[in-house]
Amino acid sequence: MSQAAAMASARARGTESADHAVESIRLPLFKQWLTELPDASRRQVWLDLGRLQVCLVPHLLEHSARLLVADLTIGGESGSDQRVALDRLLPQCCWNEPLDRVCLWDLLDYLEPENLSTLSAELAGHAGHGCRLHALIQYSRADMPQSPRRLRLKPDGMLEVSNRSAATRTAPRPSPKRLEKLMPEFAVDRTMLLNNGMQEFVLVRK
Amino acid sequence: MFQKRESNETEQTHNPQASAQRSEPARAVSSGKVATIGPTVRIEGRLEAEEDVILEGRFKGTVDLKKNTLTVGKDGSLEAEVYAATILVEGKVDGDLYASERLNIRKSARVTGNIYAPRISLEDGARFRGSIDMDADSEPFRKAFGGKSTKPPAEISAARPSGSQPSDARKAETSGDGNPTGNAGNKQSSGTAG
């Protein structure tokens, strides 16, 4: 389907989203993560399940943190395809040090529930004491883009969010309780509603 | 197989903005001699040299240029462990990269593997999957180069999120830039921001 046709279809369904607009949002909880990095104690290990965020690298490495980048691409695949992607990717990660922080970005919105639980169990198995996860979940709107948005952390600390297409799908919008049920190894620690309708979640290893 | 040429090109800058403005292919040259592996060349095995190497073709194996520079050009494809003083990647790499001085990943690069270097330059748009380690005291780095790097401490040329310096960040926290709520413990809390 062409982009124009997809947009027209979305409009007809009344599900047109923010379309292709690029918006910048603040991530207060994520920013707080950065400020909480210890100065020179034990080195931290971060796992970024999304694409390489170039602007994140200098700060982490200045603190001698180790950064693992998974570049996990999950879109509109079936649950079994997602599972294949997870099974292929996760063993490749360097698990020789316990994880302190995990950046999930908007991955939780796109993973099928059973795969979410699989990912949670895998992360929990490699999580260090007090390991925290950060996620962005569509909350205010009932729909979300069909495919994950392009998320780019900018030098000013804002997150640039751009849609790849106008097509939408129903957003799972899990409550904190539902999320904890799907990810039983973690507890919701903090949430923050952002002005674009997404919600920041910080989960902590139980 | 190898095309040798004398190079007058200058060393790469660490400034990604400056480097992004250049249109010509990047070349990191640390010595006068450069060997180029051309785009139609495919090699498997171990590559050792006392001069810089530019890879435009395909190489599979191990690269040992501990005193020199390896450049993987845009059309270059490398499936190897690499040990070099400086590594510059514009093309595709599948393997671990050890640079005793610095490593530069350009926006056209596609890298899968772990990278170890005391100084790293990354350009937005590069695809990377693996780990980034700039600790010159780390075990892999020591194994690769037999001791701590003689270069200065970690230095990165990519831009950092503003306010992420510890001191600046603490100021930002109290200046109302976002208003996170909640406790340090497990107690759940919520708030709004924009």
Side-chain angles (χ1 to χ4, degrees), chain B residues 49-171:
Chain B
E50 297 287 328
E51 58 194 276
D52 298 338
V53 173
I54 297 172
L55 175 68
E56 299 288 2
R58 294 184 183 181
F59 181 87
K60 183 176 181 180
T62 303
V63 178
D64 188 348
L65 305 175
K66 286 183 180 167
K67 295 179 182 175
N68 295 89
T69 296
L70 172 71
T71 300
V72 181
K74 277 185 179 174
D75 296 323
S77 178
L78 185 69
E79 190 177 333
E81 277 200 350
V82 178
Y83 305 87
T86 301
I87 302 170
L88 192 154
V89 182
E90 294 180 313
K92 186 180 175 187
V93 170
D94 188 351
D96 294 345
L97 305 177
Y98 300 83
S100 61
E101 294 184 9
R102 73 174 190 274
L103 189 146
N104 187 337
I105 296 180
R106 304 295 297 271
K107 61 184 177 184
S108 58
R110 302 287 180 265
V111 178
T112 301
N114 305 310
I115 60 180
Y116 305 88
R119 288 186 285 173
I120 296 172
S121 172
L122 298 162
E123 284 188 7
D124 200 10
R127 297 300 294 264
F128 173 77
R129 179 179 288 168
S131 73
I132 301 174
D133 195 332
M134 290 178 62
D135 185 359
D137 284 328
S138 70
E139 188 177 346
F141 196 92
R142 285 202 309 270
K143 280 185 179 176
F145 297 104
K148 191 173 180 178
S149 168
T150 57
K151 293 297 168 187
E155 175 184 315
I156 305 239
S157 61
R160 78 186 64 243
S162 67
S164 59
Q165 291 277 8
S167 56
D168 293 339
R170 280 191 281 275
K171 289 176 189 171

Side-chain angles (χ1 to χ4, degrees), chain A residues 25-26 28-29 31-32 34-37 39 43 50-52 54-59 61-73 88-89 92 94 97 132 150 152-158 176-177 180 187-196 199-200 204-206, chain B residues 16-17 105 110-114 116-117 120-135 138 140 154 156-170 172-173 175-194:
Chain A
I25 58 174
R26 284 187 294 170
L29 298 184
K31 188 170 185 177
Q32 196 170 48
L34 294 176
T35 67
E36 288 173 348
L37 275 174
D39 285 338
R43 94 166 174 166
R51 281 185 62 165
L52 172 67
V54 168
C55 290
L56 187 59
V57 176
H59 181 70
L61 299 186
E62 184 177 279
H63 292 267
S64 296
R66 184 169 183 231
L67 175 63
L68 313 178
V69 182
D71 199 359
L72 176 62
T73 304
R88 188 175 61 237
L89 170 79
Q92 293 178 6
C94 296
E97 291 178 276
R132 282 174 162 76
R150 173 85 167 96
R152 176 174 167 264
L153 196 61
K154 298 197 298 183
D156 61 5
M158 303 288 279
K177 289 289 182 192
E180 289 180 340
V188 174
D189 182 34
R190 297 182 187 183
T191 63
M192 175 71 68
L193 183 61
L194 306 176
N195 69 349
N196 74 335
Q199 188 155 15
E200 272 189 291
V204 63
R205 178 79 168 97
K206 286 179 181 173
Chain B
Q17 291 178 333
I105 296 180
R110 302 287 180 265
V111 178
T112 301
N114 305 310
Y116 305 88
I120 296 172
S121 172
L122 298 162
E123 284 188 7
D124 200 10
R127 297 300 294 264
F128 173 77
R129 179 179 288 168
S131 73
I132 301 174
D133 195 332
M134 290 178 62
D135 185 359
S138 70
I156 305 239
S157 61
R160 78 186 64 243
S162 67
S164 59
Q165 291 277 8
S167 56
D168 293 339
R170 280 191 281 275
E173 258 189 332
S175 66
D177 188 7
N179 184 28
T181 61
N183 305 317
N186 292 348
K187 186 178 177 182
Q188 181 188 332
S189 60
S190 62
T192 58

Side-chain angles (χ1 to χ4, degrees), chain B residues 8-79:
Chain B
N8 295 321
E9 292 166 337
T10 57
E11 196 168 350
Q12 272 294 294
T13 175
H14 291 281
N15 183 338
Q17 291 178 333
S19 59
Q21 290 168 356
R22 280 191 303 276
S23 57
E24 72 274 18
R27 296 288 179 262
V29 176
S30 59
S31 66
K33 291 181 179 178
V34 179
T36 299
I37 300 175
T40 64
V41 179
R42 290 168 172 74
I43 304 174
E44 283 192 31
R46 180 177 179 85
L47 170 61
E48 290 186 35
E50 297 287 328
E51 58 194 276
D52 298 338
V53 173
I54 297 172
L55 175 68
E56 299 288 2
R58 294 184 183 181
F59 181 87
K60 183 176 181 180
T62 303
V63 178
D64 188 348
L65 305 175
K66 286 183 180 167
K67 295 179 182 175
N68 295 89
T69 296
L70 172 71
T71 300
V72 181
K74 277 185 179 174
D75 296 323
S77 178
L78 185 69
E79 190 177 333

